Amino acid sequence: MICGQGLPIALLALGVIGACSEPRTDLPPLPSIEVTTTDPEILAQVSAARERVEADPDDADANGELGSLYELYQRPEGARLCYQRAALLDPGALRWAYHLGRVEKTWGDPVAARAALGRAVGLDPNYLPALAMLGELDLDNGDLAAAEARFREILRRQP
């Protein structure tokens, strides 16, 4: 009787495992951006990070670490996609929202930067680097009053 009951449990477990291994459809595609260098250490580092993501596409840390390498080696398109993936996979992680905001501000889209940094501040209202970057975006946008208010708030919290 126990064997008979074990079979449905085993099938259920396989169904759960199968459901967990389904690829997520809400993630941006993994970037196919090459780091152009002849340095074998850099190539090996990026290749190993990419292999970790390919082995477990739902690993937020692996996606974010690959994004960090793309950012380090001046491949903002790859960094953006990897940070987006990491932020979707771990929406409660401040670091991926912040890194995405930083990449968007530096190389891309100030509106997307503001949204990502706003999420970071929403996760931790006391994370001053995100507040400072929002203040920089206010300055870039010509909103001096908003920038001043943000920077004064930062000074109030961290004199």
Side-chain angles (χ1 to χ4, degrees):
M1 197 58 140
I2 292 176
C3 289
Q5 290 175 349
L7 183 58
I9 292 172
L11 291 175
L12 177 62
L14 286 174
V16 169
I17 291 169
C20 292
S21 64
E22 291 286 321
R24 288 184 55 159
T25 57
D26 62 333
L27 295 177
L30 189 61
S32 59
I33 296 165
E34 297 299 321
V35 173
T36 54
T37 181
T38 57
D39 186 328
E41 289 180 26
I42 292 173
L43 292 173
Q45 186 181 32
V46 173
S47 178
R50 185 174 179 92
E51 287 173 11
R52 283 191 297 276
V53 173
E54 288 171 346
D56 187 0
D58 293 341
D59 182 342
D61 289 337
N63 278 276
E65 288 166 14
L66 180 58
S68 295
L69 289 174
Y70 279 134
E71 183 179 2
L72 177 65
Y73 298 122
Q74 305 291 308
R75 296 292 180 258
E77 316 83 28
R80 179 181 297 116
L81 287 171
C82 289
Y83 289 148
Q84 286 173 347
R85 290 171 60 92
L88 285 168
L89 290 165
D90 189 0
L94 164 73
R95 64 183 170 162
W96 305 133
Y98 173 73
H99 286 298
L100 177 58
R102 190 179 66 214
V103 165
E104 292 290 9
K105 180 186 179 299
T106 303
W107 283 294
D109 179 352
V111 173
R114 188 174 297 281
L117 293 166
R119 280 192 305 278
V121 170
L123 291 167
D124 182 355
N126 295 310
Y127 190 63
L128 300 184
L131 287 173
M133 203 163 286
L134 283 168
E136 291 172 13
L137 286 167
D138 291 336
L139 281 176
D140 294 344
N141 202 32
D143 191 345
L144 301 181
E148 180 181 12
R150 282 193 207 276
F151 293 132
R152 286 191 184 278
E153 179 61 22
I154 292 167
L155 285 173
R156 185 187 68 72
R157 294 182 190 187
Q158 185 84 37

